[in-house]
Amino acid sequence: MPDLAAARWEPHRRGPRAAHRRVGSFSAWGSGVATDAIPSGPEGGANGDSAVVSAATTPSESSTGLGLVTVLSLGDVSSHDGLVDWDQGGPLVSKPRHRMPSRLLRRTLLAAVAVCGMVFAGTVATAAATPPRASVLQGTVESGGAGLSNFSVSLYAAFVDREPRWVPLGSAKSDKKGKFRLKFAVPHGLAGSDPLLFVEATRGPAMLASAISAGLGTVPQRVVVNERTTVATGNAFAQFIDGHRIAGNRYGMTNAVGMAANLADPVTGAVGSVLATAPNGTETSTLATFNSLANAIASCVTDRADCKTLFRASAPPGGPPSKTVLEAVANVVKYPAFPPSRAPKGDPVFALSRRTPVNQPALSAAPTSWLLFLKITGGAYSAQDSDNLMNGPGNFAIDEKGFVWVNDNAVPRPPGEYACAGLRLLRFTPSGQPLPGTPYFGGGLNGAGYGITLDPNGRVWVGNFGFQDPPCLDPQFAAEQGSRPAPHNSVSVFQVDGTALSGPDGYTDGNISWPQGTVSDRAGNIWIANCGNDSVTMLPGGDPARAVNIPLGPAPEEGHPQLKPFGATVDARGNVWIANNRGNAVSVISPDGRLIDTLPGTFQGRTVLSHPVGNATDTKGNVWVANSDWLDSPCPTRAELGEAENPSITAFRQDTRKPFPGSPFTGGGLTLPCGIAVDGKDTVWVFNFGVVPVGQTSDIPTGISRFCGVDTRACPKGTKTGDPISPDTGYRSDALERITGGQFDPSGNIWLTNNWKRDADPIVNPFGNAIVVAVGAAAPVRTPLLGPPVSAERR
């Protein structure tokens, strides 16, 4: 184990690889559990440790793909701006590629280390070393802070890389104070694997559960199992729960342990520090929603009749009742709304939550959905200022292990101050902590927009649209903000460790102009939608020297594009579909770069495309388009805004390239559709850019919308392709602002961008400063996304 007292941040000049020094390791922030798959090599590979819970670990050679997690002391963080890199098994400190404001560095590090300090003080002291053949787990079964007697307590191992997937390790009974002492051992023949560990406590139909460890290396000696840990586990593992069993894909399962710890601490049973504090806590309704769902479970613990009510209430629409409390929580996540059509007498889960209100603050009225929207700013803050980590996150690219890349529109500034073109690329762990080394600079980054993608080699490509407020056209003004006027003509490329591959001006080959959608296909070709000149740039094999420009129509007058290509997606045949925002059309390009079709905005007398923005391919290669009915992308003019009266989505068949019957589809809480994505079960999710157009105000929170896809097997009984699954309100949350993009990870979390503020001034720093995670809401997909999504429920 590294010497924690000696570990420190040190500035170090970037030079030959042999000159780098490993100076310590870093613990993820998250309620007493350090579990993210921190990369331990330049490729973030699987040469690091198993994931662990509630303590630091020593290195091992297991294959879970998780990095060493120990606490890194700050040392004299105020004296320099050193950033952490990762190389050959641990973090390296190097001279930063761009100077990060010291207040931001201190704020981010102090917030992370403060949480990690609590982890270290509260759990490391109680952690056991690698369990011998027979070990002991002690704990308490509680509800409302009171011990629960006569519960059967079982410890289970969930194996993510072998069969059997779910193995009991030991059991015990809770005494009259709720305490238990459980002896356990891994069966002979399975000891070479490193499973996730779960505790389940049952008495009759009542059940409490907790994800306590992502590996055997540091199992906490004591745990608390209560309604909060049950809600946390049920949400984070929602897509993997079947009855009392939990099984799923390797990275999704492992990463879910860390997300569960964001919600509840498995050692103390308290609300997780991420959920309990800013930018969450009492600043959004997520904590109250969490507590209300915990109260519904507490009512089941108090009265077994309420368990039956919970099982019936949580049944999928048209499906059978839930079999266990844990499955009930998972089903509430999968089908989180109770509109009158489903619950004519009112939300039954909310009614249950009022019977035993032991967890506060709680909801005073039924929510539009029970989804938990966890807000992330990069630290324990929510106020927008110059020291923020991000300003205008635009979209996501998620790697194989669930690490999240985010592009960023603008330089962080306080509200009411102009913001110039952003120069940052961000990377987060699978549970939402800024990865050491974030943000990354250089490579020609300049006002990134909607476009970001990972190629098959793990390189990150960012389209530099050139977002900036008007005064930033003045080089002196931009320089005062640490920026420069945006040329709107490049893409930037980074290695997986955040090192820029492109030069200071990015790659400009192929007549790039105001780039938006930027995607890779499975062959590694990069496709860039040029909003500014009605064309697409293709980089064969990701080679800028071979760049090809593909016109989508007549060459426009400079500065006056007529099509405004925006969204880009790749179908199952390798064709690239481009949503033309002003042109109200979709262009289809063959894998070899030929324009093979242009789909008009009307079909059989119906308008099927209206100010389209994002597009996405489903699991079969069909293409879905989000029709904002409003946006006219500012590349550079935005003089043809729509009325925003008929928001919709349209599905096109891959084979005939004709709209699906019934297109366009409406309802489901669609307001200003911008981003769109299809999950691993072919469900379509739409991300709204607020409730009303920019310049108008509304007290109604932003929501996301959900629709039945082409494969209807996962849809509620009686629904068909294009029918809304979300209610007329959508799934709303006051944690959400104006969303541009969203993506799914291997755990089934939906990552959402708070790109603009709800009350945005379009010319004075309209940008938001957060990303948001809808925990466990969607069917997991394999990442990175290259072409049609592939289910990742089991891998």
Side-chain angles (χ1 to χ4, degrees):
M1 182 173 181
D3 181 357
L4 295 182
R8 63 194 184 278
W9 290 87
E10 295 180 346
H12 186 70
R13 295 189 179 276
R14 181 173 296 275
R17 187 171 296 276
H20 284 104
R21 289 176 295 143
R22 186 178 303 121
V23 298
S25 304
F26 198 84
S27 171
W29 62 314
S31 312
V33 179
T35 58
D36 284 324
I38 303 294
S40 46
E43 298 300 324
N47 58 330
D49 283 292
S50 304
V52 298
V53 171
S54 1
T57 76
T58 55
S60 74
E61 294 300 324
S62 75
S63 59
T64 59
L66 301 180
L68 183 69
V69 279
T70 54
V71 179
L72 173 66
S73 84
L74 276 174
D76 183 14
V77 74
S78 63
S79 65
H80 57 79
D81 293 313
L83 300 178
V84 167
D85 239 341
W86 290 88
D87 184 47
Q88 303 301 320
L92 306 173
V93 172
S94 63
K95 183 177 180 180
R97 303 180 250 318
H98 186 285
R99 185 176 181 86
M100 187 196 300
S102 59
R103 284 176 59 200
L104 169 59
L105 179 62
R106 288 196 299 273
R107 172 184 290 180
T108 303
L109 294 176
L110 288 172
V113 172
V115 175
C116 292
M118 291 188 286
V119 174
F120 186 73
T123 64
V124 171
T126 64
T130 301
R133 291 184 179 179
S135 299
V136 173
L137 176 69
Q138 299 182 75
T140 307
V141 183
E142 295 180 354
S143 181
L148 299 172
S149 65
N150 204 34
F151 267 69
S152 297
V153 183
S154 298
L155 178 67
Y156 292 95
F159 292 91
V160 296
D161 55 359
R162 64 179 299 170
E163 297 291 344
R165 294 275 176 164
W166 188 251
V167 178
L169 301 183
S171 62
K173 283 275 190 179
S174 62
D175 64 18
K176 60 183 180 181
K177 294 183 178 180
K179 297 185 180 301
F180 65 87
R181 188 175 187 273
L182 184 154
K183 292 183 179 180
F184 70 95
V186 177
H188 180 71
L190 296 176
S193 297
D194 205 20
L196 315 184
L197 297 184
F198 296 86
V199 174
E200 294 182 354
T202 60
R203 187 180 65 192
M207 177 189 196
L208 299 170
S210 181
I212 67 163
S213 173
L216 291 169
T218 52
V219 180
Q221 289 182 348
R222 293 183 181 275
V223 297
V224 172
V225 186
N226 61 17
E227 62 270 19
R228 287 188 289 266
T229 63
T230 307
V231 172
T233 303
N235 273 264
F237 291 88
Q239 301 298 325
F240 306 127
I241 291 171
D242 182 8
H244 79 98
R245 296 167 55 90
I246 306 174
N249 74 79
R250 174 182 179 183
Y251 298 120
M253 287 278 289
T254 303
N255 295 338
V257 177
M259 190 60 75
N262 285 340
L263 304 175
D265 186 333
V267 175
T268 66
V271 175
S273 59
V274 174
L275 176 58
T277 58
N280 299 290
T282 57
E283 296 185 13
T284 76
S285 60
T286 301
L287 175 59
T289 303
F290 174 87
N291 282 337
S292 287
L293 190 50
N295 289 339
I297 294 173
S299 71
C300 167
V301 171
T302 302
D303 186 343
R304 64 187 301 140
D306 285 347
C307 295
K308 295 182 179 180
T309 301
L310 177 63
F311 296 162
R312 290 193 301 268
S314 59
S322 302
K323 298 185 289 291
T324 67
V325 171
L326 193 60
E327 185 175 83
V329 176
N331 282 338
V332 168
V333 177
K334 295 174 184 176
Y335 301 96
F338 291 87
S341 58
R342 181 182 179 190
K345 295 183 179 180
D347 186 332
V349 176
F350 177 70
L352 278 177
S353 76
R354 306 281 280 179
R355 296 185 186 181
T356 313
V358 292
N359 298 283
Q360 295 294 327
L363 297 172
S364 59
T368 63
S369 89
W370 288 95
L371 292 180
L372 300 180
F373 291 91
L374 202 62
K375 194 173 182 180
I376 297 166
T377 58
Y381 62 87
S382 55
Q384 186 180 37
D385 63 34
S386 299
D387 291 326
N388 285 181
L389 179 62
M390 59 187 127
N391 200 36
N395 213 339
F396 303 98
I398 301 177
D399 73 13
E400 179 186 11
K401 295 178 175 63
F403 285 80
V404 181
W405 294 89
V406 189
N407 58 4
D408 196 40
N409 288 178
V411 172
R413 302 296 294 175
E417 293 189 16
Y418 292 112
C420 293
L423 305 176
R424 302 179 179 191
L425 176 63
L426 312 172
R427 191 183 185 198
F428 293 84
T429 69
S431 59
Q433 291 77 46
L435 199 72
T438 289
Y440 306 109
F441 298 92
L445 287 172
N446 200 277
Y450 185 73
I452 182 170
T453 191
L454 283 157
D455 68 18
N457 295 316
R459 296 176 298 182
V460 186
W461 296 76
V462 179
N464 294 307
F465 179 82
F467 271 110
Q468 60 188 1
D469 287 344
C472 303
L473 293 169
D474 178 359
Q476 181 176 348
F477 184 90
E480 290 172 355
Q481 286 201 12
S483 185
R484 60 191 178 100
H488 318 285
N489 67 347
S490 71
V491 292
S492 299
V493 189
F494 288 77
Q495 294 187 108
V496 69
D497 65 355
T499 301
L501 293 173
S502 48
D505 296 322
Y507 291 130
T508 60
D509 311 81
N511 196 21
I512 296 171
S513 176
W514 297 81
Q516 285 286 26
T518 304
V519 297
S520 173
D521 61 26
R522 291 174 181 171
N525 303 308
I526 305 300
W527 304 85
I528 304 156
N530 294 316
C531 187
N533 65 9
D534 295 347
S535 72
V536 168
T537 296
M538 174 191 181
L539 306 180
D543 183 0
R546 299 163 57 199
V548 176
N549 185 268
I550 307 161
L552 302 183
E557 179 184 346
E558 184 174 356
H560 295 281
Q562 298 304 302
L563 298 178
K564 293 192 173 182
F566 198 107
T569 191
V570 182
D571 71 15
R573 298 174 179 175
N575 297 321
V576 180
W577 297 58
I578 304 294
N580 295 306
N581 171 240
R582 179 178 281 185
N584 293 322
V586 170
S587 302
V588 185
I589 302 170
S590 67
D592 60 1
R594 294 177 295 110
L595 178 65
I596 58 176
D597 210 345
T598 301
L599 313 180
T602 58
F603 180 76
Q604 295 181 348
R606 300 192 314 275
T607 297
V608 293
L609 295 168
S610 178
H611 298 263
V613 187
N615 57 355
T617 310
D618 70 14
T619 59
K620 303 296 188 291
N622 306 298
V623 174
W624 292 78
V625 181
N627 295 306
S628 71
D629 196 43
W630 173 74
L631 180 69
D632 185 28
S633 183
C635 53
T637 62
R638 57 189 296 269
E640 297 185 19
L641 295 170
E643 298 298 323
E645 293 178 352
N646 297 292
S648 67
I649 59 174
T650 299
F652 290 92
R653 295 185 183 276
Q654 176 185 246
D655 51 359
T656 65
R657 297 196 282 273
K658 304 293 184 185
F660 265 84
S663 289
F665 304 110
T666 60
L670 289 176
T671 49
L672 293 171
C674 186
I676 188 169
V678 183
D679 70 17
K681 287 189 175 179
D682 224 39
T683 300
V684 182
W685 295 79
V686 187
F687 315 121
N688 292 298
F689 193 66
V691 175
V692 295
V694 174
Q696 299 180 23
T697 60
S698 174
D699 293 330
I700 301 174
T702 301
I704 60 177
S705 303
R706 181 182 178 193
F707 289 79
C708 182
V710 174
D711 185 345
T712 61
R713 289 175 295 176
C715 301
K717 186 177 180 179
T719 56
K720 60 184 183 299
T721 298
D723 284 351
I725 297 174
S726 52
D728 290 342
T729 59
Y731 301 146
R732 292 176 182 163
S733 172
D734 53 8
L736 298 171
E737 302 279 347
R738 294 183 181 269
I739 311 167
T740 47
Q743 290 294 337
F744 313 111
D745 69 17
S747 300
N749 302 308
I750 310 178
W751 294 76
L752 304 162
T753 59
N754 274 356
N755 180 249
W756 277 26
K757 297 185 283 284
R758 285 169 56 192
D759 59 351
D761 180 334
I763 62 172
V764 183
N765 193 12
F767 309 103
N769 71 340
I771 56 179
V772 177
V773 181
V775 179
V781 299
R782 292 187 187 180
T783 51
L785 183 65
L786 299 168
V790 177
S791 174
E793 282 193 303
R794 178 75 63 86
R795 182 174 61 165

